[in-house]
């Protein structure tokens, strides 16, 4: 989940960020120099099925088919931290520690319960119309020397069935590749990346994509997007090598379906360099970028006003790319501006906020006393009204760009066990994430949903500009409460 944005911060530090909070109206004014546009998916869309899509308003169904410690800490808390034995830090070492049989037992229970149809229905009622489903390659192929277990596909297809019933569109996201494409736990294996060093790894990745595309073809009324690979690291391999892989992957997908979005990740490059990742012959393609303001020492040090102001600084070039090249979707973002969240930097690691991370020698929070309690705890019931108000303003600042000026967005994540700023459903329930009109319409029951369909028509008619209306209405209710 680390992004390019941390590499441009030295330039941003020189800017004045101590001014008063701009609020919604002045933030919109600040962004007025960026040409207003509706969703730019028409830039390279040839399919009428795709060109009719409304703005993508989505959530990630993360931590289900590729587990991550911070999303469900209880899976990792079972291991005895008092021993000197090497502790599991990702799905690879989790599986190795438990063995195949126990891993399968625990993960099948997890796959069966962590996301339900009720969750999808609730998300649709909040205005969500897409889900992004991260999947590890081992759902499709495993070698004898790998500790992973398979069996995810029936649960993935059950999830797609629920999405069909609820009216959600889906993106299948290959989130982990053999050898690890970035070395992070979100690839399934926190290790020195070896992915592109082996042709066998590339072939297995392409095989996983082919099998994932077979699911997309089977569920073509639900699956509207395929992500070639999540966050391949351009620090490890030349961009030209990653583009070469993208071309191979694109050809495989297009050989099976012409009618689905192909998502490519920006590899942590800056927007002005994204054109080096795009083949002009591609069609129905979107750039996926992930925007966070907390995976960096400097970002931890800035105050609330600066975080809101920085949204505009970080997205101007993104909007320009969306306008002039292929469309852009923000595939991951959240409300978090601190790294106090348990295991957010990896299982068994500390945080920058309190200065407990191994390569940080002092607390970096913007206060004289740095502690992961109160507003920065894992218990949202400790949040002050001031902090909730900040979360609301920060989310709105992001959505003013992501929803109004880009192809759309996916929040990370749909839910968590104990990470409030990363939990979309909790954020809506508690008021720091706004609701949108429902646009997810069940395919098989449209005649019984006339009231919802009317809302859908109004939403489509107003397109991107409708974002301010629910913001202002919900903001009024937020302050009244």
């Amino acid at each position: 989940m680390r992004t390019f944005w941390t590499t441009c911060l030295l330039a941003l530090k020189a800017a004045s960020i101590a001014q008063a909070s701009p609020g919604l109206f002045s933030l919109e004014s600040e962004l007025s120099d960026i040409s207003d546009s509706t969703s730019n998916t028409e830039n390279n869309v040839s399919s009428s099925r795709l060109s009719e899509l409304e703005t993508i308003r989505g959530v990630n169904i993360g931590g289900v088919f590729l587990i991550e410690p911070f999303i469900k800490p209880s899976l990792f808390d079972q291991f005895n931290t008092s021993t000197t034995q090497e502790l599991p830090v990702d799905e690879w070492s989790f599986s190795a520690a438990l063995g195949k049989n126990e891993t399968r037992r625990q993960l099948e229970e997890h796959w069966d319960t962590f996301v339900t149809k009720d969750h999808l229905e609730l998300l649709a009622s909040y205005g969500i119309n897409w889900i992004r489903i991260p999947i590890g390659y081992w759902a499709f192929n495993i070698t004898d020397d790998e500790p992973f277990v398979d069996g995810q596909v029936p649960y993935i297809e059950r999830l797609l069935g629920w999405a069909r019933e609820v009216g959600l569109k889906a993106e299948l996201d290959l989130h982990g590749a053999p050898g690890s494409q970035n070395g992070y736990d979100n690839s399934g294996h926190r290790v020195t990346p070896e992915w592109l060093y082996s042709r066998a790894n590339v072939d297995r990745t392409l095989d996983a994509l082919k099998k994932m595309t077979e699911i997309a073809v089977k569920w073509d009324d639900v699956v509207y997007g395929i992500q070639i690979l999540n966050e391949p690291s351009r620090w490890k391999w030349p961009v030209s090598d990653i583009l070469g892989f993208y071309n191979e992957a694109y050809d495989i997908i297009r050989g099976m379906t012409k009618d689905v979005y192909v998502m490519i990740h920006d590899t942590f490059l800056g927007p002005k360099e994204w054109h080096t990742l795009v083949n002009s012959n591609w069609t129905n393609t979107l750039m996926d970028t992930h925007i966070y303001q907390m995976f960096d020492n400097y970002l931890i040090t800035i105050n609330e006003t600066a975080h809101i102001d920085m949204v505009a600084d970080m997205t101007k070039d993104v909007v320009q790319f969306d306008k002039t090249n292929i469309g852009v979707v923000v595939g991951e973002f959240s409300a978090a501006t601190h790294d106090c969240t348990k295991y957010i930097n990896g299982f068994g690691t500390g945080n920058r906020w309190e200065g407990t991370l191994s390569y940080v020698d002092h607390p970096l929070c913007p206060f004289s006393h740095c502690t992961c309690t109160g507003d920065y705890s894992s218990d949202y019931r400790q949040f002050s009204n001031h902090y909730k108000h900040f979360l609301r303003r920060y989310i709105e600042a992001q959505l003013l760009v992501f929803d109004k000026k880009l192809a759309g967005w996916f929040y990370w994540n749909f839910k968590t066990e104990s990470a409030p700023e990363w939990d979309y459903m909790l954020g809506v329930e508690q008021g720091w994430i706004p609701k949108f009109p429902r646009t997810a319409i069940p395919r098989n029951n449209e005649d019984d949903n006339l009231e919802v369909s009317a809302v859908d028509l109004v939403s489509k008619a107003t397109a991107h500009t409708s974002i301010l209306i629910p913001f202002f209405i919900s903001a009024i209710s937020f302050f009244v409460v």
Side-chain angles (χ1 to χ4, degrees), residues 240-467:
S240 58
D241 289 356
I242 297 176
L243 175 60
F245 168 76
Y246 281 176
N247 278 316
E248 287 192 73
Y250 176 90
D251 288 344
I252 286 175
I253 295 169
R254 282 289 171 257
M256 301 172 69
T257 173
K258 309 293 184 185
D259 208 28
V260 66
Y261 275 126
V262 174
M263 318 289 204
I264 61 169
H265 184 257
D266 63 20
T267 74
F268 308 113
L269 281 173
K272 291 183 178 180
E273 299 177 88
W274 286 355
H275 67 278
T276 62
L277 289 166
V278 178
N279 184 325
S280 60
N281 294 320
W282 292 344
T283 60
N284 300 341
T285 309
L286 288 174
M287 181 66 71
D288 168 43
T289 190
H290 302 168
I291 301 179
Y292 294 108
Q293 289 194 34
M294 37 70 64
F295 288 117
D296 175 85
N297 289 357
Y298 170 65
L299 286 172
I300 294 295
T301 69
I302 66 177
N303 62 28
E304 294 174 351
T305 297
H307 279 295
I308 292 174
D309 291 347
M310 194 169 286
V311 172
D313 293 317
M314 294 173 71
T315 56
K316 285 183 180 180
D317 290 337
V318 176
V319 172
Q320 183 62 24
F321 183 90
D322 178 276
K323 180 184 176 184
T324 59
N325 207 298
I326 63 175
V328 178
V329 61
V330 179
E332 295 182 19
F333 74 105
S334 76
T337 56
H338 65 79
D339 66 341
C340 283
T341 302
K342 186 177 183 179
Y343 304 151
I344 191 63
N345 295 309
F347 182 71
T349 63
N351 61 71
R352 300 169 183 84
W353 191 266
E354 296 175 314
T356 57
L357 202 58
S358 60
Y359 51 83
V360 174
D361 60 6
H362 65 280
L364 297 178
C365 83
F367 312 114
S368 58
H369 180 61
C370 299
T371 178
C372 291
T373 59
D375 288 343
Y376 312 105
S377 73
S378 61
D379 184 359
Y380 70 92
R381 293 168 298 184
Q382 295 186 32
F383 289 180
S384 66
N385 288 335
H386 169 85
Y387 184 61
K388 292 179 185 178
H389 176 50
F390 160 69
L391 292 177
R392 178 69 179 218
R393 289 163 53 228
Y394 180 53
I395 287 294
E396 288 176 344
Q398 294 181 87
L399 292 181
L400 276 170
V401 181
F402 306 164
D403 192 279
K404 186 175 180 183
K405 300 178 183 295
L406 302 177
W409 46 270
F410 292 92
Y411 194 92
W412 190 280
N413 194 36
F414 82 108
K415 78 168 191 177
T416 68
E417 271 189 342
S418 58
E421 294 93 343
W422 299 84
D423 189 320
Y424 191 89
M425 293 193 298
L426 178 66
V428 175
E429 293 163 8
Q430 295 300 312
W432 61 77
I433 298 178
K435 292 182 182 180
F436 293 87
R438 178 167 182 153
T439 58
I441 310 302
R443 314 311 195 256
N444 58 357
N445 198 25
E446 291 182 358
D447 291 340
D448 295 332
N449 289 277
L450 297 180
E451 181 178 353
V452 173
S453 297
V455 172
D456 180 45
L457 290 174
V458 172
S459 176
K460 288 184 178 180
T462 55
H464 292 270
T465 55
S466 65
I467 187 172

Side-chain angles (χ1 to χ4, degrees), residues 85-199:
Q85 181 181 1
E86 186 174 348
L87 296 174
V89 296
D90 50 31
E91 186 159 342
W92 175 288
S93 52
F94 173 94
S95 304
L98 293 177
K100 295 263 187 183
N101 291 339
E102 181 60 16
T103 297
R104 185 175 301 280
R105 186 193 71 77
Q106 291 194 23
L107 289 187
E108 284 184 348
E109 179 181 359
H110 172 65
W111 301 334
D112 190 44
T113 59
F114 197 66
V115 59
T116 67
K117 183 182 177 183
D118 287 343
H119 290 142
L120 299 194
E121 183 56 58
L122 187 61
L123 288 164
S125 74
Y126 291 162
I128 293 299
N129 53 29
W130 277 66
I131 55 174
R132 179 175 182 250
I133 307 173
I135 307 168
Y137 74 89
W138 53 94
F140 307 105
N141 61 61
I142 306 176
T143 58
D144 291 340
D145 60 342
E146 292 176 326
F148 294 124
V149 298
D150 57 11
Q152 298 89 340
V153 171
Y155 295 93
I156 293 168
E157 295 202 64
R158 182 180 69 170
L159 180 59
L160 294 175
W162 291 337
R164 172 187 284 160
E165 293 175 20
V166 172
L168 296 168
K169 299 176 178 69
E171 172 194 334
L172 300 181
D173 158 37
L174 189 61
H175 216 71
S180 180
Q181 73 275 20
N182 55 34
Y184 302 146
D185 59 10
N186 63 38
S187 73
H189 198 184
R190 198 172 91 186
V191 67
T192 300
E194 299 289 340
W195 170 55
L196 280 185
Y197 287 151
S198 163
R199 182 65 213 186

